[in-house]
Amino acid sequence: MVSPVDAMRRTFAAAFSGAVPTRLSRAPGRVNLIGEHVDYCGLSVFPMAIQREVRVAFRPRLDGLVRIHNTGPGFSTCEFIVEPDPAPGPTGDWGNYLKAAGQGLVRAFQVSRGIDALVSSDLPIAAGLSSSSALVVATALALLDANGVEIDRPALMMLLPEAERYVGTQGGGMDQAISLGAVAGTASRVDFNPVRVTAVPVPAGWRFVIASSLASAEKSGPAQVAYNERTRECAAALERVAATLSGTPPRSYSELLSRPNPDEWLRSARAVLAGPLLQRFRHVVSEAARVHMAQQAMERADLEAFGTLMNASHQSLRDDYGVSTGALDELVRIARGAGAVGARLTGAGFGGCIVALCDAAREEAVLGALGAEFYTPRNVCDLGDRLFTAEAAGAASVGSLAGA
Ligand code: GLA
């Protein structure tokens, strides 16, 4: 039986004329438990890193060339020079995530050495589990390592979201922060401006089941326009409400939410917002409150309360934020019917996955019902990447391949 690391060595040698990789970076994906579509508003989120990850086996080069192969099916090899303004490939091209990491680091640190690298991943792609940010994080750690640059995690958590916007999605900072800052066995509240990661142990006996809607959520593809539109709508809603308030106008949602008299801005919002802007605003401010209540529920191991908040989050994402789909709603329904205390879409939506919370005693029933009621009727038998229980993983790392 060939170990995954030996398999990477062999594939690397085949791709790079017999060369040997010396280093390995790895970055976990994440499941967001609650706090959806609020990170780009600067508001706290509550994700958990998962056991599935992106691995980059690499060796530093002396020049600035980056050559990256991918063991996944359908990926072409990507080659580029580390430079501040690389020409992007077509929208959706995976190489754009590599270039995103490269240009972000060149701008911040003048890194000049490239890498020969091989990417392998067991993280489902475009599933709302942050495969793209995990790729950016793992690539960035590899490039920093190859250049001998040391940077503390919070600084990298600030730099990489900005770098990733190179691909055209105006994303927030949740995915990079949890991949870089997770602690095994815990979920985390992530705050922004400045970014902080606060670990909360996941109570024994809680199970988070992930189930794919079988529709990909290409945030750098078709969903990009809808995602970016949401970010603009949130900003526009805040601006309108802020303009009506007495005193110094709040410049961010956090400033708005921390004003002493919430009734004042709630009244203003109802007066000046209508249609989608009112709905987006309602989602953002209600989700912000749910994140804090969910953290407290996990701290006191209150499964029911956490699940109820997840259900409210899904409803808000479906009805006010418009990012759910029929398949996601169906998965949520099945999971709850089988005994999950809560279930919601996770990640950006528009496809991707749901996350369902249940007690360990209900785990098999929830997995079984999702299999029998959602996948079997669709003739989907290979469930390995589509239906699994998340394990709370630790943070991204880089080190010797020999020690991996
Ligand atoms: C994507 C983005 C995140 C976040 C989520 C929605 O995963 O990368 O920054 O906005 O969508 O919560």
Side-chain angles (χ1 to χ4, degrees), residues 331-357:
L331 287 166
V332 159
R333 234 184 355 261
I334 296 170
R336 288 185 200 152
V341 292
R344 55 183 290 279
L345 71 86
T346 185
F350 314 110
C353 290
I354 65 145
V355 56
L357 171 62

PDB file of all heavy atoms in Angstrom, residues 331-357:
ATOM      1  N   LEU A 331     -32.362  18.849   1.173  1.00  0.00           N
ATOM      2  CA  LEU A 331     -31.405  18.210   2.087  1.00  0.00           C
ATOM      3  C   LEU A 331     -31.662  18.627   3.528  1.00  0.00           C
ATOM      4  O   LEU A 331     -31.630  17.810   4.457  1.00  0.00           O
ATOM      5  CB  LEU A 331     -29.964  18.590   1.693  1.00  0.00           C
ATOM      6  CG  LEU A 331     -29.401  17.943   0.428  1.00  0.00           C
ATOM      7  CD1 LEU A 331     -28.133  18.663  -0.029  1.00  0.00           C
ATOM      8  CD2 LEU A 331     -29.099  16.455   0.661  1.00  0.00           C
ATOM      9  N   VAL A 332     -31.920  19.919   3.700  1.00  0.00           N
ATOM     10  CA  VAL A 332     -32.192  20.444   5.044  1.00  0.00           C
ATOM     11  C   VAL A 332     -33.426  19.759   5.627  1.00  0.00           C
ATOM     12  O   VAL A 332     -33.439  19.330   6.782  1.00  0.00           O
ATOM     13  CB  VAL A 332     -32.372  21.993   4.948  1.00  0.00           C
ATOM     14  CG1 VAL A 332     -33.138  22.540   6.132  1.00  0.00           C
ATOM     15  CG2 VAL A 332     -31.015  22.674   4.817  1.00  0.00           C
ATOM     16  N   ARG A 333     -34.451  19.637   4.803  1.00  0.00           N
ATOM     17  CA  ARG A 333     -35.712  18.995   5.245  1.00  0.00           C
ATOM     18  C   ARG A 333     -35.467  17.541   5.648  1.00  0.00           C
ATOM     19  O   ARG A 333     -35.917  17.089   6.695  1.00  0.00           O
ATOM     20  CB  ARG A 333     -36.721  19.039   4.091  1.00  0.00           C
ATOM     21  CG  ARG A 333     -38.027  19.666   4.452  1.00  0.00           C
ATOM     22  CD  ARG A 333     -39.104  19.665   3.381  1.00  0.00           C
ATOM     23  NE  ARG A 333     -38.787  19.162   2.062  1.00  0.00           N
ATOM     24  CZ  ARG A 333     -38.475  19.928   1.010  1.00  0.00           C
ATOM     25  NH1 ARG A 333     -38.388  21.240   1.142  1.00  0.00           N
ATOM     26  NH2 ARG A 333     -38.232  19.387  -0.163  1.00  0.00           N
ATOM     27  N   ILE A 334     -34.725  16.821   4.820  1.00  0.00           N
ATOM     28  CA  ILE A 334     -34.478  15.398   5.099  1.00  0.00           C
ATOM     29  C   ILE A 334     -33.689  15.253   6.410  1.00  0.00           C
ATOM     30  O   ILE A 334     -34.010  14.425   7.265  1.00  0.00           O
ATOM     31  CB  ILE A 334     -33.712  14.733   3.924  1.00  0.00           C
ATOM     32  CG1 ILE A 334     -34.568  14.741   2.661  1.00  0.00           C
ATOM     33  CG2 ILE A 334     -33.291  13.311   4.289  1.00  0.00           C
ATOM     34  CD1 ILE A 334     -33.816  14.334   1.393  1.00  0.00           C
ATOM     35  N   ALA A 335     -32.646  16.075   6.535  1.00  0.00           N
ATOM     36  CA  ALA A 335     -31.797  15.962   7.733  1.00  0.00           C
ATOM     37  C   ALA A 335     -32.615  16.227   8.993  1.00  0.00           C
ATOM     38  O   ALA A 335     -32.538  15.487   9.978  1.00  0.00           O
ATOM     39  CB  ALA A 335     -30.620  16.932   7.630  1.00  0.00           C
ATOM     40  N   ARG A 336     -33.447  17.266   8.944  1.00  0.00           N
ATOM     41  CA  ARG A 336     -34.261  17.570  10.133  1.00  0.00           C
ATOM     42  C   ARG A 336     -35.256  16.462  10.397  1.00  0.00           C
ATOM     43  O   ARG A 336     -35.481  16.058  11.550  1.00  0.00           O
ATOM     44  CB  ARG A 336     -35.007  18.890   9.935  1.00  0.00           C
ATOM     45  CG  ARG A 336     -34.083  20.092   9.990  1.00  0.00           C
ATOM     46  CD  ARG A 336     -34.911  21.362   9.919  1.00  0.00           C
ATOM     47  NE  ARG A 336     -34.090  22.492   9.510  1.00  0.00           N
ATOM     48  CZ  ARG A 336     -34.546  23.558   8.871  1.00  0.00           C
ATOM     49  NH1 ARG A 336     -35.822  23.659   8.550  1.00  0.00           N
ATOM     50  NH2 ARG A 336     -33.735  24.545   8.547  1.00  0.00           N
ATOM     51  N   GLY A 337     -35.835  15.921   9.340  1.00  0.00           N
ATOM     52  CA  GLY A 337     -36.821  14.834   9.486  1.00  0.00           C
ATOM     53  C   GLY A 337     -36.197  13.605  10.133  1.00  0.00           C
ATOM     54  O   GLY A 337     -36.885  12.831  10.801  1.00  0.00           O
ATOM     55  N   ALA A 338     -34.886  13.428   9.939  1.00  0.00           N
ATOM     56  CA  ALA A 338     -34.215  12.233  10.477  1.00  0.00           C
ATOM     57  C   ALA A 338     -33.632  12.474  11.860  1.00  0.00           C
ATOM     58  O   ALA A 338     -32.931  11.618  12.393  1.00  0.00           O
ATOM     59  CB  ALA A 338     -33.107  11.798   9.518  1.00  0.00           C
ATOM     60  N   GLY A 339     -33.894  13.660  12.403  1.00  0.00           N
ATOM     61  CA  GLY A 339     -33.479  13.878  13.784  1.00  0.00           C
ATOM     62  C   GLY A 339     -32.360  14.882  13.982  1.00  0.00           C
ATOM     63  O   GLY A 339     -31.882  15.052  15.112  1.00  0.00           O
ATOM     64  N   ALA A 340     -31.942  15.554  12.907  1.00  0.00           N
ATOM     65  CA  ALA A 340     -30.966  16.633  13.108  1.00  0.00           C
ATOM     66  C   ALA A 340     -31.677  17.767  13.848  1.00  0.00           C
ATOM     67  O   ALA A 340     -32.827  18.087  13.525  1.00  0.00           O
ATOM     68  CB  ALA A 340     -30.423  17.123  11.778  1.00  0.00           C
ATOM     69  N   VAL A 341     -30.993  18.380  14.813  1.00  0.00           N
ATOM     70  CA  VAL A 341     -31.639  19.476  15.549  1.00  0.00           C
ATOM     71  C   VAL A 341     -31.604  20.767  14.743  1.00  0.00           C
ATOM     72  O   VAL A 341     -32.370  21.700  14.994  1.00  0.00           O
ATOM     73  CB  VAL A 341     -30.982  19.723  16.924  1.00  0.00           C
ATOM     74  CG1 VAL A 341     -31.243  18.566  17.866  1.00  0.00           C
ATOM     75  CG2 VAL A 341     -29.495  20.004  16.788  1.00  0.00           C
ATOM     76  N   GLY A 342     -30.704  20.821  13.760  1.00  0.00           N
ATOM     77  CA  GLY A 342     -30.615  22.003  12.914  1.00  0.00           C
ATOM     78  C   GLY A 342     -29.907  21.647  11.629  1.00  0.00           C
ATOM     79  O   GLY A 342     -29.095  20.716  11.599  1.00  0.00           O
ATOM     80  N   ALA A 343     -30.234  22.373  10.563  1.00  0.00           N
ATOM     81  CA  ALA A 343     -29.547  22.147   9.287  1.00  0.00           C
ATOM     82  C   ALA A 343     -29.641  23.417   8.471  1.00  0.00           C
ATOM     83  O   ALA A 343     -30.651  24.139   8.533  1.00  0.00           O
ATOM     84  CB  ALA A 343     -30.174  20.982   8.540  1.00  0.00           C
ATOM     85  N   ARG A 344     -28.595  23.690   7.733  1.00  0.00           N
ATOM     86  CA  ARG A 344     -28.580  24.924   6.940  1.00  0.00           C
ATOM     87  C   ARG A 344     -27.604  24.775   5.793  1.00  0.00           C
ATOM     88  O   ARG A 344     -26.712  23.919   5.823  1.00  0.00           O
ATOM     89  CB  ARG A 344     -28.156  26.109   7.818  1.00  0.00           C
ATOM     90  CG  ARG A 344     -26.818  25.895   8.531  1.00  0.00           C
ATOM     91  CD  ARG A 344     -26.477  27.062   9.431  1.00  0.00           C
ATOM     92  NE  ARG A 344     -26.156  28.219   8.624  1.00  0.00           N
ATOM     93  CZ  ARG A 344     -24.977  28.425   8.052  1.00  0.00           C
ATOM     94  NH1 ARG A 344     -23.976  27.569   8.210  1.00  0.00           N
ATOM     95  NH2 ARG A 344     -24.767  29.489   7.325  1.00  0.00           N
ATOM     96  N   LEU A 345     -27.772  25.619   4.785  1.00  0.00           N
ATOM     97  CA  LEU A 345     -26.752  25.636   3.741  1.00  0.00           C
ATOM     98  C   LEU A 345     -25.480  26.199   4.350  1.00  0.00           C
ATOM     99  O   LEU A 345     -25.522  26.988   5.311  1.00  0.00           O
ATOM    100  CB  LEU A 345     -27.215  26.460   2.535  1.00  0.00           C
ATOM    101  CG  LEU A 345     -27.311  27.974   2.652  1.00  0.00           C
ATOM    102  CD1 LEU A 345     -25.990  28.668   2.359  1.00  0.00           C
ATOM    103  CD2 LEU A 345     -28.358  28.493   1.700  1.00  0.00           C
ATOM    104  N   THR A 346     -24.334  25.776   3.815  1.00  0.00           N
ATOM    105  CA  THR A 346     -23.067  26.277   4.348  1.00  0.00           C
ATOM    106  C   THR A 346     -22.220  26.820   3.221  1.00  0.00           C
ATOM    107  O   THR A 346     -22.259  26.294   2.111  1.00  0.00           O
ATOM    108  CB  THR A 346     -22.319  25.184   5.133  1.00  0.00           C
ATOM    109  OG1 THR A 346     -21.147  25.746   5.723  1.00  0.00           O
ATOM    110  CG2 THR A 346     -21.930  24.000   4.263  1.00  0.00           C
ATOM    111  N   GLY A 347     -21.497  27.896   3.484  1.00  0.00           N
ATOM    112  CA  GLY A 347     -20.716  28.534   2.421  1.00  0.00           C
ATOM    113  C   GLY A 347     -21.579  29.543   1.689  1.00  0.00           C
ATOM    114  O   GLY A 347     -22.610  29.981   2.202  1.00  0.00           O
ATOM    115  N   ALA A 348     -21.186  29.861   0.468  1.00  0.00           N
ATOM    116  CA  ALA A 348     -21.875  30.935  -0.240  1.00  0.00           C
ATOM    117  C   ALA A 348     -23.280  30.558  -0.692  1.00  0.00           C
ATOM    118  O   ALA A 348     -24.104  31.424  -0.961  1.00  0.00           O
ATOM    119  CB  ALA A 348     -21.045  31.365  -1.441  1.00  0.00           C
ATOM    120  N   GLY A 349     -23.576  29.245  -0.818  1.00  0.00           N
ATOM    121  CA  GLY A 349     -24.883  28.851  -1.343  1.00  0.00           C
ATOM    122  C   GLY A 349     -24.837  28.762  -2.859  1.00  0.00           C
ATOM    123  O   GLY A 349     -23.775  28.523  -3.429  1.00  0.00           O
ATOM    124  N   PHE A 350     -25.976  28.930  -3.501  1.00  0.00           N
ATOM    125  CA  PHE A 350     -26.103  28.783  -4.966  1.00  0.00           C
ATOM    126  C   PHE A 350     -25.726  27.364  -5.406  1.00  0.00           C
ATOM    127  O   PHE A 350     -25.244  27.154  -6.523  1.00  0.00           O
ATOM    128  CB  PHE A 350     -25.185  29.761  -5.723  1.00  0.00           C
ATOM    129  CG  PHE A 350     -25.194  31.178  -5.240  1.00  0.00           C
ATOM    130  CD1 PHE A 350     -24.088  31.716  -4.589  1.00  0.00           C
ATOM    131  CD2 PHE A 350     -26.298  31.990  -5.460  1.00  0.00           C
ATOM    132  CE1 PHE A 350     -24.083  33.037  -4.167  1.00  0.00           C
ATOM    133  CE2 PHE A 350     -26.302  33.315  -5.044  1.00  0.00           C
ATOM    134  CZ  PHE A 350     -25.196  33.838  -4.394  1.00  0.00           C
ATOM    135  N   GLY A 351     -25.886  26.382  -4.536  1.00  0.00           N
ATOM    136  CA  GLY A 351     -25.370  25.026  -4.756  1.00  0.00           C
ATOM    137  C   GLY A 351     -24.463  24.705  -3.581  1.00  0.00           C
ATOM    138  O   GLY A 351     -24.566  25.319  -2.526  1.00  0.00           O
ATOM    139  N   GLY A 352     -23.600  23.705  -3.745  1.00  0.00           N
ATOM    140  CA  GLY A 352     -22.697  23.349  -2.646  1.00  0.00           C
ATOM    141  C   GLY A 352     -23.380  22.451  -1.637  1.00  0.00           C
ATOM    142  O   GLY A 352     -24.195  21.605  -2.007  1.00  0.00           O
ATOM    143  N   CYS A 353     -23.083  22.640  -0.366  1.00  0.00           N
ATOM    144  CA  CYS A 353     -23.472  21.669   0.670  1.00  0.00           C
ATOM    145  C   CYS A 353     -24.377  22.266   1.741  1.00  0.00           C
ATOM    146  O   CYS A 353     -24.445  23.487   1.906  1.00  0.00           O
ATOM    147  CB  CYS A 353     -22.216  21.174   1.402  1.00  0.00           C
ATOM    148  SG  CYS A 353     -21.170  20.127   0.402  1.00  0.00           S
ATOM    149  N   ILE A 354     -24.975  21.345   2.509  1.00  0.00           N
ATOM    150  CA  ILE A 354     -25.600  21.736   3.772  1.00  0.00           C
ATOM    151  C   ILE A 354     -24.753  21.175   4.915  1.00  0.00           C
ATOM    152  O   ILE A 354     -23.952  20.252   4.712  1.00  0.00           O
ATOM    153  CB  ILE A 354     -27.041  21.204   3.932  1.00  0.00           C
ATOM    154  CG1 ILE A 354     -27.056  19.665   4.010  1.00  0.00           C
ATOM    155  CG2 ILE A 354     -27.948  21.718   2.846  1.00  0.00           C
ATOM    156  CD1 ILE A 354     -28.111  19.102   4.924  1.00  0.00           C
ATOM    157  N   VAL A 355     -24.949  21.740   6.096  1.00  0.00           N
ATOM    158  CA  VAL A 355     -24.384  21.148   7.308  1.00  0.00           C
ATOM    159  C   VAL A 355     -25.550  20.909   8.268  1.00  0.00           C
ATOM    160  O   VAL A 355     -26.418  21.774   8.434  1.00  0.00           O
ATOM    161  CB  VAL A 355     -23.289  22.045   7.933  1.00  0.00           C
ATOM    162  CG1 VAL A 355     -23.790  23.460   8.225  1.00  0.00           C
ATOM    163  CG2 VAL A 355     -22.733  21.409   9.211  1.00  0.00           C
ATOM    164  N   ALA A 356     -25.597  19.709   8.836  1.00  0.00           N
ATOM    165  CA  ALA A 356     -26.672  19.360   9.764  1.00  0.00           C
ATOM    166  C   ALA A 356     -26.046  18.982  11.095  1.00  0.00           C
ATOM    167  O   ALA A 356     -25.025  18.295  11.129  1.00  0.00           O
ATOM    168  CB  ALA A 356     -27.475  18.186   9.215  1.00  0.00           C
ATOM    169  N   LEU A 357     -26.666  19.421  12.169  1.00  0.00           N
ATOM    170  CA  LEU A 357     -26.160  19.109  13.511  1.00  0.00           C
ATOM    171  C   LEU A 357     -27.073  18.070  14.166  1.00  0.00           C
ATOM    172  O   LEU A 357     -28.303  18.230  14.182  1.00  0.00           O
ATOM    173  CB  LEU A 357     -26.140  20.377  14.375  1.00  0.00           C
ATOM    174  CG  LEU A 357     -25.834  20.166  15.866  1.00  0.00           C
ATOM    175  CD1 LEU A 357     -24.445  19.572  16.092  1.00  0.00           C
ATOM    176  CD2 LEU A 357     -25.957  21.504  16.626  1.00  0.00           C
TER     177      LEU A 357
END
